[in-house]
Amino acid sequence: MSESSPPAAPPTLRWVGDALTGSLELLDQTRLPGEVVTLSCRTDEDVFGAIRRLSVRGAPAIGVSAAFGLLLGVRQALAPTPGPMKGDRAAFDAALAASAEKLAASRPTAVNLFWALARCRRALSAEPDLSPGDALVRLLEEAQAIEAEDRAMCAAIGRHGADLLPEPAGDGELGLLTHCNAGGLATAGDGTALAVLFEAHRRATDAGRRVRVYADETRPLLQGARLTAWELTRRGVPTTVLCDSAAASLLATGRVHAVVTGADRVAANGDAANKIGTFPLAVLAHRFHVPFYIAAPTSTFDRELASGKEIPIEQRDAAEVLNYGGLRTAADGAEAYNPAFDVTPADLIAALVTERGVIPSPTAEAVAAHLADA
Ligand SMILES: CSC[C@H]1O[C@H](OP(=O)(O)O)[C@H](O)[C@@H]1O
Protein backbone atom coordinates (compact mmCIF):
# COMPACT_ATOMS: atom_id res chain seq x y z
CA MET A 1 0.00 0.00 0.00
CA SER A 2 1.53 3.36 -0.96
CA GLU A 3 1.97 6.00 1.77
CA SER A 4 -0.79 8.17 0.36
CA SER A 5 -3.48 5.50 0.06
CA PRO A 6 -6.00 5.47 2.94
CA PRO A 7 -6.36 2.46 5.25
CA ALA A 8 -8.62 -0.23 3.84
CA ALA A 9 -12.22 0.00 5.03
CA PRO A 10 -14.53 -2.96 5.65
CA PRO A 11 -17.04 -3.74 2.88
CA THR A 12 -20.48 -2.11 2.90
CA LEU A 13 -21.97 -5.46 3.91
CA ARG A 14 -20.65 -8.98 4.44
CA TRP A 15 -22.19 -12.27 5.64
CA VAL A 16 -19.77 -14.02 7.99
CA GLY A 17 -20.20 -17.70 8.93
CA ASP A 18 -22.67 -20.41 8.00
CA ALA A 19 -26.46 -20.26 7.96
CA LEU A 20 -26.91 -21.51 11.52
CA THR A 21 -24.30 -19.36 13.28
CA GLY A 22 -23.40 -16.53 10.89
CA SER A 23 -24.08 -12.78 11.08
CA LEU A 24 -24.47 -9.86 8.72
CA GLU A 25 -21.67 -7.33 9.20
CA LEU A 26 -22.62 -3.81 8.09
CA LEU A 27 -20.40 -0.76 7.75
CA ASP A 28 -22.34 1.86 9.76
CA GLN A 29 -22.77 4.69 7.25
CA THR A 30 -24.15 7.10 9.85
CA ARG A 31 -20.63 7.25 11.35
CA LEU A 32 -18.75 7.96 8.09
CA PRO A 33 -16.53 9.62 7.13
CA GLY A 34 -15.08 10.26 10.56
CA GLU A 35 -15.43 6.78 12.03
CA VAL A 36 -15.29 3.33 10.49
CA VAL A 37 -17.62 1.24 12.66
CA THR A 38 -19.05 -2.18 11.82
CA LEU A 39 -22.43 -3.36 13.08
CA SER A 40 -22.95 -7.09 13.65
CA CYS A 41 -26.56 -8.03 12.85
CA ARG A 42 -27.86 -11.30 14.34
CA THR A 43 -31.63 -10.66 14.13
CA ASP A 44 -34.05 -9.21 11.59
CA GLU A 45 -34.70 -6.43 14.11
CA ASP A 46 -31.01 -5.51 13.86
CA VAL A 47 -31.30 -5.30 10.06
CA PHE A 48 -34.63 -3.42 10.23
CA GLY A 49 -33.07 -0.81 12.51
CA ALA A 50 -29.94 -0.49 10.34
CA ILE A 51 -32.07 0.14 7.24
CA ARG A 52 -34.43 2.52 9.03
CA ARG A 53 -31.67 4.78 10.42
CA LEU A 54 -29.59 4.53 7.21
CA SER A 55 -26.70 2.63 8.76
CA VAL A 56 -27.11 0.67 5.56
CA ARG A 57 -28.74 2.58 2.69
CA GLY A 58 -29.10 2.75 -1.04
CA ALA A 59 -31.60 0.63 -2.95
CA PRO A 60 -29.39 -2.36 -3.88
CA ALA A 61 -27.64 -2.49 -0.49
CA ILE A 62 -31.02 -2.36 1.25
CA GLY A 63 -32.24 -5.27 -0.88
CA VAL A 64 -29.17 -7.43 -0.25
CA SER A 65 -29.24 -6.67 3.50
CA ALA A 66 -32.94 -7.52 3.70
CA ALA A 67 -32.30 -10.89 2.06
CA PHE A 68 -29.77 -11.73 4.79
CA GLY A 69 -32.13 -10.18 7.35
CA LEU A 70 -34.78 -12.67 6.31
CA LEU A 71 -32.46 -15.54 7.19
CA LEU A 72 -31.70 -13.98 10.56
CA GLY A 73 -35.41 -13.53 11.25
CA VAL A 74 -36.31 -17.15 10.49
CA ARG A 75 -33.33 -18.45 12.46
CA GLN A 76 -34.22 -16.29 15.44
CA ALA A 77 -37.76 -17.74 15.40
CA LEU A 78 -36.76 -21.40 15.05
CA ALA A 79 -33.30 -21.48 16.67
CA PRO A 80 -33.20 -18.58 19.16
CA THR A 81 -30.26 -20.19 20.88
CA PRO A 82 -27.39 -21.77 18.94
CA GLY A 83 -28.41 -25.25 17.85
CA PRO A 84 -30.49 -27.07 15.28
CA MET A 85 -33.62 -25.49 13.85
CA LYS A 86 -36.80 -26.39 15.75
CA GLY A 87 -40.29 -26.82 14.27
CA ASP A 88 -41.41 -28.15 10.93
CA ARG A 89 -41.41 -26.61 7.47
CA ALA A 90 -44.79 -24.99 8.09
CA ALA A 91 -43.26 -23.18 11.07
CA PHE A 92 -40.32 -22.16 8.86
CA ASP A 93 -42.64 -20.74 6.19
CA ALA A 94 -44.70 -18.86 8.80
CA ALA A 95 -41.52 -17.35 10.30
CA LEU A 96 -40.33 -16.42 6.79
CA ALA A 97 -43.59 -14.57 6.07
CA ALA A 98 -43.48 -12.76 9.41
CA SER A 99 -39.86 -11.65 8.97
CA ALA A 100 -40.51 -10.49 5.41
CA GLU A 101 -43.44 -8.39 6.61
CA LYS A 102 -41.29 -6.86 9.33
CA LEU A 103 -38.39 -6.00 7.01
CA ALA A 104 -40.73 -4.64 4.31
CA ALA A 105 -41.87 -1.97 6.76
CA SER A 106 -38.35 -0.50 7.19
CA ARG A 107 -38.47 1.98 4.26
CA PRO A 108 -41.11 2.39 1.50
CA THR A 109 -39.39 3.77 -1.61
CA ALA A 110 -36.44 1.61 -2.66
CA VAL A 111 -38.08 -1.22 -4.60
CA ASN A 112 -35.04 -3.48 -4.19
CA LEU A 113 -36.18 -4.15 -0.62
CA PHE A 114 -39.45 -5.69 -1.78
CA TRP A 115 -37.88 -7.30 -4.85
CA ALA A 116 -35.26 -9.12 -2.75
CA LEU A 117 -37.75 -10.30 -0.13
CA ALA A 118 -40.12 -11.60 -2.82
CA ARG A 119 -37.29 -13.32 -4.68
CA CYS A 120 -36.13 -15.14 -1.54
CA ARG A 121 -39.69 -16.24 -0.76
CA ARG A 122 -40.16 -17.52 -4.33
CA ALA A 123 -36.93 -19.49 -4.08
CA LEU A 124 -38.14 -21.24 -0.92
CA SER A 125 -41.65 -21.79 -2.28
CA ALA A 126 -40.08 -23.63 -5.19
CA GLU A 127 -38.60 -26.19 -2.76
CA PRO A 128 -41.42 -27.02 -0.30
CA ASP A 129 -39.92 -30.33 0.76
CA LEU A 130 -36.68 -28.95 2.21
CA SER A 131 -36.28 -29.46 5.95
CA PRO A 132 -36.05 -26.26 8.05
CA GLY A 133 -32.27 -26.71 8.31
CA ASP A 134 -31.85 -27.20 4.56
CA ALA A 135 -34.30 -24.38 3.85
CA LEU A 136 -32.15 -22.03 5.95
CA VAL A 137 -29.10 -23.00 3.91
CA ARG A 138 -31.11 -22.40 0.74
CA LEU A 139 -32.05 -18.96 2.00
CA LEU A 140 -28.39 -18.12 2.56
CA GLU A 141 -27.59 -19.30 -0.97
CA GLU A 142 -30.27 -17.02 -2.45
CA ALA A 143 -29.11 -13.99 -0.44
CA GLN A 144 -25.52 -14.62 -1.53
CA ALA A 145 -26.66 -14.96 -5.15
CA ILE A 146 -28.43 -11.60 -4.94
CA GLU A 147 -25.25 -10.07 -3.49
CA ALA A 148 -23.02 -11.56 -6.20
CA GLU A 149 -25.40 -10.53 -9.00
CA ASP A 150 -25.56 -6.98 -7.68
CA ARG A 151 -21.76 -6.77 -7.69
CA ALA A 152 -21.70 -7.86 -11.35
CA MET A 153 -24.51 -5.43 -12.22
CA CYS A 154 -22.49 -2.52 -10.84
CA ALA A 155 -19.52 -3.36 -13.05
CA ALA A 156 -21.72 -3.62 -16.16
CA ILE A 157 -23.51 -0.35 -15.35
CA GLY A 158 -20.13 1.34 -15.00
CA ARG A 159 -19.08 0.23 -18.48
CA HIS A 160 -22.37 1.08 -20.20
CA GLY A 161 -22.58 4.47 -18.51
CA ALA A 162 -18.98 5.47 -19.19
CA ASP A 163 -19.55 4.74 -22.89
CA LEU A 164 -22.16 7.51 -22.93
CA LEU A 165 -20.03 10.28 -21.49
CA PRO A 166 -18.81 13.07 -23.77
CA GLU A 167 -15.14 13.98 -24.28
CA PRO A 168 -14.40 17.67 -23.66
CA ALA A 169 -12.71 19.54 -26.49
CA GLY A 170 -8.93 19.56 -26.53
CA ASP A 171 -7.40 18.48 -23.22
CA GLY A 172 -10.26 19.93 -21.22
CA GLU A 173 -11.28 18.38 -17.92
CA LEU A 174 -14.40 16.19 -18.01
CA GLY A 175 -16.75 17.56 -15.35
CA LEU A 176 -19.36 15.16 -13.90
CA LEU A 177 -22.00 16.13 -11.36
CA THR A 178 -23.73 13.68 -9.04
CA HIS A 179 -26.24 13.82 -6.18
CA CYS A 180 -26.45 11.84 -2.95
CA ASN A 181 -24.49 8.57 -2.86
CA ALA A 182 -24.98 5.85 -5.43
CA GLY A 183 -21.63 4.24 -4.80
CA GLY A 184 -20.21 1.11 -3.32
CA LEU A 185 -21.83 2.15 -0.05
CA ALA A 186 -25.26 1.87 -1.71
CA THR A 187 -24.64 -1.49 -3.36
CA ALA A 188 -22.77 -4.76 -3.03
CA GLY A 189 -20.30 -3.62 -5.69
CA ASP A 190 -18.80 -0.36 -6.96
CA GLY A 191 -22.14 1.46 -7.07
CA THR A 192 -24.42 2.55 -9.86
CA ALA A 193 -23.81 6.23 -10.65
CA LEU A 194 -20.40 6.02 -8.99
CA ALA A 195 -19.52 2.91 -10.99
CA VAL A 196 -19.93 5.13 -14.07
CA LEU A 197 -17.80 7.87 -12.50
CA PHE A 198 -15.09 5.44 -11.38
CA GLU A 199 -14.95 3.89 -14.87
CA ALA A 200 -14.85 7.33 -16.51
CA HIS A 201 -11.96 8.29 -14.25
CA ARG A 202 -10.12 5.06 -15.01
CA ARG A 203 -10.50 5.50 -18.77
CA ALA A 204 -9.55 9.19 -18.66
CA THR A 205 -6.49 8.50 -16.53
CA ASP A 206 -5.35 5.74 -18.90
CA ALA A 207 -5.76 8.20 -21.78
CA GLY A 208 -3.92 11.00 -20.00
CA ARG A 209 -7.08 13.07 -19.62
CA ARG A 210 -8.57 14.73 -16.54
CA VAL A 211 -11.89 14.13 -14.77
CA ARG A 212 -13.42 16.00 -11.87
CA VAL A 213 -16.52 14.89 -9.99
CA TYR A 214 -18.75 17.53 -8.46
CA ALA A 215 -20.71 16.06 -5.55
CA ASP A 216 -23.81 17.75 -4.18
CA GLU A 217 -23.56 17.66 -0.39
CA THR A 218 -27.18 16.41 -0.41
CA ARG A 219 -29.08 17.73 2.52
CA PRO A 220 -30.36 16.91 5.01
CA LEU A 221 -28.22 13.79 5.71
CA LEU A 222 -25.23 14.81 3.55
CA GLN A 223 -24.75 11.50 1.73
CA GLY A 224 -22.80 13.42 -0.92
CA ALA A 225 -20.40 15.30 1.33
CA ARG A 226 -19.97 12.42 3.78
CA LEU A 227 -20.19 9.30 1.62
CA THR A 228 -19.65 10.09 -2.07
CA ALA A 229 -16.70 12.36 -1.36
CA TRP A 230 -15.28 9.65 0.95
CA GLU A 231 -15.54 6.97 -1.74
CA LEU A 232 -14.16 9.16 -4.53
CA THR A 233 -11.23 10.68 -2.66
CA ARG A 234 -10.16 7.26 -1.38
CA ARG A 235 -9.88 6.16 -5.01
CA GLY A 236 -7.96 9.26 -6.10
CA VAL A 237 -10.83 10.85 -8.06
CA PRO A 238 -10.59 14.67 -8.03
CA THR A 239 -13.69 15.72 -6.08
CA THR A 240 -15.42 19.00 -5.41
CA VAL A 241 -18.26 19.17 -2.91
CA LEU A 242 -20.92 21.85 -3.35
CA CYS A 243 -24.07 22.98 -1.63
CA ASP A 244 -27.14 21.60 -3.39
CA SER A 245 -28.20 25.21 -4.00
CA ALA A 246 -24.95 25.90 -5.91
CA ALA A 247 -25.70 23.38 -8.69
CA ALA A 248 -27.31 25.97 -10.99
CA SER A 249 -24.36 28.32 -10.62
CA LEU A 250 -21.94 25.47 -11.33
CA LEU A 251 -23.87 24.34 -14.42
CA ALA A 252 -23.88 27.93 -15.69
CA THR A 253 -20.07 27.90 -15.74
CA GLY A 254 -20.04 25.16 -18.39
CA ARG A 255 -17.68 23.02 -16.29
CA VAL A 256 -20.17 20.14 -16.08
CA HIS A 257 -20.52 17.89 -19.14
CA ALA A 258 -22.97 15.34 -17.70
CA VAL A 259 -25.03 14.66 -14.59
CA VAL A 260 -25.21 11.07 -13.33
CA THR A 261 -27.32 9.90 -10.38
CA GLY A 262 -28.72 6.67 -9.00
CA ALA A 263 -32.34 5.71 -8.42
CA ASP A 264 -34.45 4.01 -5.81
CA ARG A 265 -37.36 3.03 -8.00
CA VAL A 266 -37.96 3.39 -11.76
CA ALA A 267 -41.58 3.18 -12.92
CA ALA A 268 -42.68 1.37 -16.08
CA ASN A 269 -42.66 4.60 -18.10
CA GLY A 270 -39.10 5.54 -17.04
CA ASP A 271 -39.99 8.09 -14.33
CA ALA A 272 -37.41 7.68 -11.56
CA ALA A 273 -37.46 8.28 -7.82
CA ASN A 274 -34.19 9.30 -6.27
CA LYS A 275 -32.89 11.36 -3.37
CA ILE A 276 -34.69 14.65 -2.81
CA GLY A 277 -33.02 17.29 -4.95
CA THR A 278 -32.58 15.04 -7.99
CA PHE A 279 -35.62 16.40 -9.84
CA PRO A 280 -34.46 20.04 -9.71
CA LEU A 281 -31.03 18.89 -10.87
CA ALA A 282 -32.66 17.29 -13.92
CA VAL A 283 -34.54 20.53 -14.63
CA LEU A 284 -31.27 22.48 -14.37
CA ALA A 285 -29.44 20.01 -16.61
CA HIS A 286 -32.18 20.46 -19.21
CA ARG A 287 -31.89 24.26 -18.90
CA PHE A 288 -28.14 24.14 -19.50
CA HIS A 289 -28.30 21.46 -22.24
CA VAL A 290 -26.29 18.96 -20.18
CA PRO A 291 -27.26 15.26 -20.45
CA PHE A 292 -28.90 13.86 -17.29
CA TYR A 293 -28.33 10.12 -16.82
CA ILE A 294 -29.79 7.77 -14.23
CA ALA A 295 -27.90 4.56 -13.48
CA ALA A 296 -29.81 1.70 -11.87
CA PRO A 297 -29.89 -2.11 -12.06
CA THR A 298 -33.02 -3.76 -13.45
CA SER A 299 -33.76 -4.82 -9.84
CA THR A 300 -34.65 -1.15 -9.24
CA PHE A 301 -37.31 -1.13 -11.94
CA ASP A 302 -40.92 -1.58 -10.83
CA ARG A 303 -43.07 -2.75 -13.74
CA GLU A 304 -46.16 -2.74 -11.50
CA LEU A 305 -46.17 1.07 -11.40
CA ALA A 306 -47.28 2.80 -14.59
CA SER A 307 -45.66 6.11 -13.74
CA GLY A 308 -43.68 7.93 -11.09
CA LYS A 309 -46.90 9.36 -9.64
CA GLU A 310 -47.48 5.97 -8.02
CA ILE A 311 -44.05 5.68 -6.33
CA PRO A 312 -44.41 5.86 -2.53
CA ILE A 313 -42.22 8.68 -1.21
CA GLU A 314 -40.76 8.23 2.25
CA GLN A 315 -41.44 11.14 4.61
CA ARG A 316 -38.70 11.21 7.22
CA ASP A 317 -38.39 12.71 10.71
CA ALA A 318 -38.55 16.53 10.87
CA ALA A 319 -35.53 16.48 13.19
CA GLU A 320 -33.31 15.64 10.19
CA VAL A 321 -34.12 19.08 8.75
CA LEU A 322 -34.48 21.09 11.96
CA ASN A 323 -31.23 19.88 13.52
CA TYR A 324 -27.72 19.05 12.46
CA GLY A 325 -24.97 17.35 14.41
CA GLY A 326 -27.28 17.01 17.38
CA LEU A 327 -27.89 20.76 17.54
CA ARG A 328 -31.12 22.60 16.71
CA THR A 329 -30.40 24.79 13.67
CA ALA A 330 -33.94 25.93 12.78
CA ALA A 331 -35.78 28.53 14.82
CA ASP A 332 -37.92 27.16 17.63
CA GLY A 333 -41.51 26.66 16.59
CA ALA A 334 -40.62 25.99 12.93
CA GLU A 335 -41.89 22.73 11.43
CA ALA A 336 -40.25 20.76 8.60
CA TYR A 337 -41.06 19.24 5.19
CA ASN A 338 -38.75 16.23 4.75
CA PRO A 339 -39.54 13.91 1.83
CA ALA A 340 -36.53 11.63 1.34
CA PHE A 341 -37.06 11.33 -2.44
CA ASP A 342 -38.51 13.12 -5.44
CA VAL A 343 -39.48 11.85 -8.88
CA THR A 344 -37.76 12.89 -12.11
CA PRO A 345 -40.06 12.54 -15.13
CA ALA A 346 -38.70 10.39 -17.92
CA ASP A 347 -38.71 13.28 -20.42
CA LEU A 348 -35.90 14.94 -18.43
CA ILE A 349 -33.72 11.80 -18.47
CA ALA A 350 -31.34 11.55 -21.44
CA ALA A 351 -30.87 7.83 -20.77
CA LEU A 352 -31.39 5.17 -18.16
CA VAL A 353 -28.31 2.96 -17.71
CA THR A 354 -28.70 -0.61 -16.48
CA GLU A 355 -26.51 -3.72 -16.40
CA ARG A 356 -28.19 -4.73 -19.68
CA GLY A 357 -27.31 -1.52 -21.53
CA VAL A 358 -28.84 1.89 -22.14
CA ILE A 359 -32.42 3.14 -22.60
CA PRO A 360 -32.10 6.47 -24.45
CA SER A 361 -35.04 8.92 -24.10
CA PRO A 362 -36.92 6.42 -21.92
CA THR A 363 -40.59 5.72 -22.67
CA ALA A 364 -42.89 2.94 -21.44
CA GLU A 365 -42.32 1.08 -24.69
CA ALA A 366 -38.54 1.44 -24.54
CA VAL A 367 -38.43 0.34 -20.88
CA ALA A 368 -40.64 -2.67 -21.58
CA ALA A 369 -38.45 -3.70 -24.52
CA HIS A 370 -35.30 -3.35 -22.39
CA LEU A 371 -36.76 -5.49 -19.60
CA ALA A 372 -38.48 -7.97 -21.92
CA ASP A 373 -36.61 -11.08 -20.83
CA ALA A 374 -35.07 -9.75 -17.61
C1 LIG B 1 -27.81 3.00 -5.77
S1 LIG B 1 -29.22 3.46 -4.90
C2 LIG B 1 -28.66 4.93 -4.17
C3 LIG B 1 -29.77 5.87 -3.87
O1 LIG B 1 -30.27 5.66 -2.54
C4 LIG B 1 -30.14 6.89 -1.85
O2 LIG B 1 -31.14 7.12 -0.90
P1 LIG B 1 -30.83 6.83 0.67
O3 LIG B 1 -29.48 7.38 0.95
O4 LIG B 1 -31.98 7.56 1.37
O5 LIG B 1 -30.93 5.33 0.83
C5 LIG B 1 -30.18 7.92 -2.93
O6 LIG B 1 -31.49 8.11 -3.43
C6 LIG B 1 -29.29 7.28 -3.93
O7 LIG B 1 -29.33 7.79 -5.21
Side-chain angles (χ1 to χ4, degrees):
M1 180 190 309
S2 71
E3 282 173 19
S4 62
S5 61
T12 300
L13 58 95
R14 182 166 63 111
W15 178 265
V16 176
D18 63 23
L20 262 181
T21 62
S23 59
L24 176 64
E25 303 297 306
L26 296 175
L27 177 55
D28 185 349
Q29 299 185 36
T30 64
R31 310 284 290 271
L32 290 173
E35 298 171 281
V36 177
V37 173
T38 298
L39 300 173
S40 185
C41 298
R42 303 196 63 81
T43 69
D44 55 359
E45 278 297 339
D46 291 342
V47 177
F48 176 95
I51 293 172
R52 184 78 203 129
R53 65 174 177 270
L54 279 71
S55 288
V56 62
R57 41 148 301 281
I62 290 172
V64 176
S65 300
F68 287 113
L70 207 44
L71 182 157
L72 293 170
V74 172
R75 190 177 76 188
Q76 176 193 357
L78 301 187
T81 53
M85 296 279 276
K86 301 177 178 58
D88 58 10
R89 179 60 193 270
F92 181 100
D93 291 342
L96 187 70
S99 185
E101 185 179 353
K102 181 186 301 183
L103 290 160
S106 54
R107 295 185 74 189
T109 304
V111 72
N112 298 62
L113 170 61
F114 312 102
W115 167 84
L117 293 172
R119 170 169 161 172
C120 289
R121 296 186 69 182
R122 279 197 306 274
L124 271 294
S125 300
E127 301 193 64
D129 299 330
L130 290 178
S131 68
D134 290 344
L136 197 74
V137 172
R138 180 69 188 85
L139 201 43
L140 178 58
E141 289 168 353
E142 196 65 22
Q144 290 172 327
I146 292 171
E147 178 186 14
E149 289 166 24
D150 185 69
R151 192 171 297 119
M153 285 179 181
C154 291
I157 287 169
R159 294 191 299 272
H160 294 316
D163 290 345
L164 286 174
L165 299 179
E167 279 201 12
D171 66 350
E173 181 179 75
L174 174 64
L176 302 170
L177 174 59
T178 192
H179 190 73
C180 198
N181 172 260
L185 290 169
T187 66
D190 244 5
T192 55
L194 259 64
V196 175
L197 305 183
F198 284 132
E199 177 64 8
H201 177 253
R202 185 192 68 77
R203 294 181 184 182
T205 305
D206 288 352
R209 301 179 67 90
R210 291 171 297 123
V211 170
R212 175 164 294 275
V213 174
Y214 296 90
D216 281 351
E217 64 175 355
T218 315
R219 276 199 46 84
L221 298 180
L222 305 185
Q223 287 93 325
R226 292 189 304 111
L227 307 179
T228 290
W230 184 75
E231 288 198 54
L232 292 170
T233 52
R234 291 171 59 82
R235 297 265 290 263
V237 180
T239 305
T240 298
V241 174
L242 62 148
C243 295
D244 304 335
S245 50
S249 166
L250 173 65
L251 284 159
T253 67
R255 278 184 259 164
V256 173
H257 301 92
V259 181
V260 189
T261 77
D264 293 82
R265 195 179 301 213
V266 183
N269 70 341
D271 294 346
N274 196 55
K275 182 54 54 196
I276 190 75
T278 304
F279 176 28
L281 209 47
V283 173
L284 289 170
H286 182 70
R287 166 69 180 76
F288 289 103
H289 311 293
V290 169
F292 181 87
Y293 298 122
I294 286 189
T298 50
S299 53
T300 302
F301 283 63
D302 185 346
R303 292 175 248 200
E304 302 302 312
L305 301 186
S307 81
K309 293 185 182 64
E310 301 169 49
I311 298 175
I313 301 297
E314 179 183 10
Q315 302 297 321
R316 290 187 63 86
D317 190 333
E320 294 177 353
V321 173
L322 300 174
N323 308 332
Y324 197 77
L327 294 174
R328 173 94 184 194
T329 48
D332 290 344
E335 298 178 3
Y337 171 62
N338 188 20
F341 303 97
D342 56 25
V343 176
T344 297
D347 62 6
L348 289 176
I349 302 171
L352 292 167
V353 183
T354 78
E355 73 281 7
R356 297 165 68 91
V358 174
I359 311 174
S361 310
T363 62
E365 294 72 22
V367 170
H370 189 80
L371 299 177
D373 53 353

